[in-house]
């Protein structure tokens, strides 16, 4: 399958610290892939490089088969086609839920106010937040904020959505609000690359799981593979720890 | 003059004092916002310029700037022979340095994640600054701006030295024409308090409430 988004031999260093080292992976249309691994394993940095929010130190990022940095494409336009959901709720705090979504539709997609409003409402409905359109982020729970964040990402009709541990900052009850929305998206065929520790979610929806440790991809396989017989000792131990 | 007539005479100068304060605040706002963005998001030479400007004009008395422009540049550039114009420019230049510091701290408080989130939906950095960072920074800056307005209203009194007919000048005229030295100055002080305190107090409370409501 041709990848929509792909990285080859990607390396990202901050000074002498190497956060991601020689990672190559891709995600094809309609696929859901889960990246997991211990904290500090480089998942977030990898996603930020793939989301074009950080420039890799070495290696390439391909979007629809074109090397993003060699072809010198307009990164802002490409970013609009790659949805990104952050670990911490990152809604614009001065705007309502509706306003958060309308902003990109108006000022990036160039929709009229009425059209942006209609589309933003549809996106909020998709994440079951249509009753909260006029609420400000501070008036919403962490789970609700993340759902609006997901609506903001998908409202731009991205070709792929990257999730950077969207439930990490939430308590158990709120986590499942968000995970159930993500499951719906996967069922609708949304292309998703998800960094998460929620292995039950991975088992249910992932086409492939990618285990990272110390900035490198150690093992790739199906959820069945990881849940039954991971190859590496490190992945085995991590699975055991997470699953209790 | 009866005390009432004295107060009426003083009040007649209030519009000029407010005009100087308001116009210099606007000039300072434009300068302050630009300098703050330059300092945080600008390339190295702009950052250096902004930093130097802020440090220099926060250290120089506004009266020194006013006298320099009026007596130093006035003979060379006729526009600075106009006392009202020179007052507004002097106060605005110095206020720009103060407001730069207010906005720099406000922009920093908005946080890097907001910029990343804005860029992630495809906004250019300029649009992110305009639609995401600046509106939030403005809410955060409001209490500081309230104090700055109060400071400008008070500092506008220096304008009287270069000949602007404003509240302090009227106070001085009254002092010269009356036997009592105290009454004109006390009346004038009360008028300054009435002009500055409610504005600073209201903006401080409004800004704090907005900050709380929006979780900034």
């Amino acid at each position: 399958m041709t990848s929509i988004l792909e990285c080859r031999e990607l390396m990202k260093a901050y000074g002498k610290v190497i956060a991601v080292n020689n990672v190559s992976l891709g995600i094809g249309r309609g696929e859901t892939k889960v990246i997991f691994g211990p904290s500090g394993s480089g998942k977030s940095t990898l996603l930020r490089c793939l989301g074009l929010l950080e420039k890799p130190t070495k290696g390439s990022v391909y979007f629809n088969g074109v090397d993003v940095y060699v072809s010198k494409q307009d990164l802002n336009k490409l970013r609009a086609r790659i949805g990104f959901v952050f670990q911490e709720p990152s809604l614009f705090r001065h705007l309502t839920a509706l306003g958060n979504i309308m902003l990109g539709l108006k000022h990036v997609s160039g929709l009229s106010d009425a059209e942006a409003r209609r589309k933003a409402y549809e996106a909020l409905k998709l994440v079951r937040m249509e009753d909260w359109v006029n609420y400000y982020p501070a008036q919403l729970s962490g789970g609700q904020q993340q759902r609006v964040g997901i609506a903001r990402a998908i409202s731009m009709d991205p070709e792929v959505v990257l999730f950077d541990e969207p439930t990490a900052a939430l308590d158990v009850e709120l986590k499942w609000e968000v995970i159930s929305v993500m499951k719906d998206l996967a069922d609708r065929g949304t292309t998703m690359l998800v960094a998460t520790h929620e292995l039950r979610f991975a088992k249910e929806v992932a086409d492939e799981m990618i285990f990272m440790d110390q900035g490198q991809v150690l093992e790739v396989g199906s959820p069945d593979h990881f849940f039954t017989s991971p190859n590496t000792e490190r992945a085995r131990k991590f699975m055991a720890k997470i699953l209790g | 003059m009866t005390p009432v007539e004295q107060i009426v005479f003083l009040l007649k100068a209030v519009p000029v004092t407010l005009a100087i304060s308001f116009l210099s605040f606007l000039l300072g706002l434009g300068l302050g916002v630009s300098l703050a963005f330059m300092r945080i998001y600008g390339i190295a030479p702009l950052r250096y310029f902004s930093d130097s400007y802020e440090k220099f004009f926060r250290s120089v008395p506004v009266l020194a700037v006013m006298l320099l422009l009026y007596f130093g540049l006035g003979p060379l550039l006729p526009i600075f022979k106009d006392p009202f114009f020179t007052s507004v420019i002097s106060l605005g230049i110095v206020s720009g340095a103060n407001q730069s510091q207010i906005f720099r701290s406000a922009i920093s408080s908005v946080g890097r994640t907001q910029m990343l989130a804005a860029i992630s939906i495809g906004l250019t950095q300029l649009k992110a600054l305009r639609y995401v960072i600046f509106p939030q920074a403005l809410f955060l800056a409001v209490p500081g701006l309230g104090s700055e307005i109060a400071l400008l209203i008070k500092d506008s009194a220096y304008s009287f030295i270069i000949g602007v007919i404003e509240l302090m000048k009227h106070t001085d005229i009254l002092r010269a024409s009356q036997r009592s030295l105290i009454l004109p100055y006390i009346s004038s002080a009360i008028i300054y308090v009435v002009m500055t305190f409610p504005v600073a107090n209201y903006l401080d409370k409004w800004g704090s409430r907005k900050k709380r409501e929006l979780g900034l």
Side-chain angles (χ1 to χ4, degrees):
Chain A
M1 183 187 281
T2 318
S3 294
I4 296 177
L5 189 61
E6 186 183 353
C7 62
R8 292 184 199 159
E9 294 168 11
L10 187 143
M11 195 269 261
K12 177 70 186 177
Y14 299 99
K16 287 182 181 169
V17 179
I18 297 175
V20 177
N21 195 7
N22 198 30
V23 169
S24 298
L25 60 85
I27 181 155
R29 201 168 297 282
E31 282 186 322
T32 297
K33 291 192 178 184
V34 164
I35 304 177
F36 72 111
S39 298
S41 58
K43 304 182 295 290
S44 293
T45 307
L46 176 63
L47 283 185
R48 284 181 186 207
C49 289
L50 284 166
L52 311 180
L53 300 176
E54 301 228 23
K55 193 176 179 185
T57 311
K58 275 188 199 161
S60 318
V61 178
Y62 290 82
F63 188 70
N64 285 323
V66 179
D67 187 324
V68 168
Y69 292 104
V70 169
S71 64
K72 294 194 166 41
Q73 296 184 68
D74 183 343
L75 290 185
N76 297 313
K77 284 185 181 157
L78 290 182
R79 286 187 193 116
R81 294 161 68 188
I82 304 171
F84 203 101
V85 180
F86 292 83
Q87 183 172 344
E88 299 291 329
S90 59
L91 297 182
F92 308 133
R93 290 165 294 196
H94 62 303
L95 297 174
T96 61
L98 196 73
N100 260 275
I101 301 169
M102 286 176 66
L103 187 73
L105 294 170
K106 281 169 71 176
H107 299 293
V108 177
S109 307
L111 300 186
S112 67
D113 195 77
E115 187 64 13
R117 187 175 296 275
R118 188 189 61 74
K119 208 166 171 196
Y121 184 79
E122 275 173 17
L124 283 170
K125 205 169 171 186
L126 212 62
V127 298
R128 300 189 280 278
M129 284 295 292
E130 68 271 27
D131 293 334
W132 302 85
V133 287
N134 291 323
Y135 283 71
Y136 285 90
Q139 298 170 306
L140 302 174
S141 72
Q144 289 173 323
Q145 288 188 46
Q146 282 300 50
R147 277 150 62 192
V148 177
I150 293 172
R152 186 174 67 187
I154 58 173
S155 69
M156 305 293 290
D157 296 327
E159 294 183 45
V160 53
V161 185
L162 310 180
F163 294 81
D164 181 11
E165 298 195 51
T167 59
L170 305 176
D171 63 39
V172 180
E173 203 174 333
L174 299 179
K175 263 181 196 173
W176 284 98
E177 279 181 16
V178 177
I179 287 173
S180 101
V181 164
M182 288 164 67
K183 276 188 197 165
D184 287 352
L185 292 179
D187 291 343
R188 291 164 56 95
T190 309
T191 308
M192 295 162 58
L193 183 58
V194 184
T196 184
H197 287 164
E198 300 301 328
L199 297 183
R200 275 198 288 164
F201 164 79
K203 193 176 183 182
E204 284 181 41
V205 302
D207 298 300
E208 188 173 80
M209 291 173 70
I210 298 155
F211 178 66
M212 281 186 80
D213 191 25
Q214 296 184 341
Q216 291 182 307
V217 171
L218 287 196
E219 195 170 340
V220 177
S222 66
D224 274 349
H225 164 79
F226 276 105
F227 276 85
T228 54
S229 52
N231 293 334
T232 55
E233 183 61 22
R234 189 74 190 86
R236 223 182 342 264
K237 277 187 179 166
F238 186 77
M239 292 292 290
K241 199 173 157 189
I242 294 287
L243 296 172
Chain B
M1 271 189 185
T2 64
V4 172
E5 284 170 335
Q6 287 182 36
I7 288 169
V8 170
F9 179 71
L10 290 176
L11 288 174
K12 278 183 182 166
V14 165
V16 178
T17 287
L18 289 179
I20 292 172
S21 311
F22 179 68
L23 293 174
S24 58
F25 174 76
L26 287 185
L27 175 61
L29 184 67
L31 281 170
V33 170
S34 312
L35 290 164
F37 278 117
M38 269 186 218
R39 177 81 177 270
I40 295 175
Y41 295 105
I43 52 172
L46 292 179
R47 284 203 303 271
Y48 181 76
F49 170 76
S50 167
D51 185 41
S52 309
Y53 182 100
E54 198 182 297
K55 283 199 172 85
F56 182 78
F57 283 107
R58 279 176 57 78
S59 310
V60 176
V62 67
L63 184 59
V65 177
M66 209 177 274
L67 294 175
L68 179 72
L69 290 183
Y70 188 71
F71 292 111
L73 285 184
L76 304 171
L77 295 168
I79 198 155
F80 288 113
K81 281 184 181 166
D82 182 321
F84 181 86
F85 177 81
T86 305
S87 295
V88 170
I89 297 293
S90 313
L91 287 161
I93 284 174
V94 174
S95 180
N98 295 338
Q99 294 194 50
S100 169
Q101 198 189 33
I102 293 168
F103 276 102
R104 191 157 51 79
S105 143
I107 292 166
S108 300
S109 302
V110 172
R112 187 174 135 74
T113 312
Q114 290 283 305
M115 177 54 107
L116 265 187
I119 282 177
S120 79
I121 59 171
L123 289 172
T124 60
Q125 194 178 49
L126 205 61
K127 282 186 178 176
L129 291 176
R130 180 174 165 194
Y131 296 115
V132 176
I133 307 297
F134 181 67
Q136 294 183 59
L138 194 58
F139 283 125
L140 290 168
V142 162
L145 293 179
S147 304
E148 184 60 22
I149 291 172
L151 187 70
L152 283 168
I153 292 172
K154 288 188 290 172
D155 281 357
S156 69
Y158 289 125
S159 310
F160 126 83
I161 291 172
I162 60 169
V164 180
I165 314 293
E166 44 69 73
L167 179 56
M168 191 47 67
K169 180 68 184 173
H170 271 218
T171 311
D172 196 53
I173 293 169
L174 214 54
R175 192 258 319 149
S177 66
Q178 302 295 312
R179 286 187 181 174
S180 164
L181 291 178
I182 295 177
L183 188 64
Y185 286 114
I186 287 184
S187 309
S188 172
I190 290 169
I191 293 172
Y192 275 110
V193 169
V194 169
M195 285 192 292
T196 55
F197 181 74
V199 177
N201 192 42
Y202 174 77
L203 290 179
D204 185 39
K205 285 195 173 148
W206 186 86
S208 302
R209 183 165 54 82
K210 273 286 170 195
K211 203 171 144 184
R212 215 172 35 249
E213 281 173 5
L214 298 175
L216 290 167

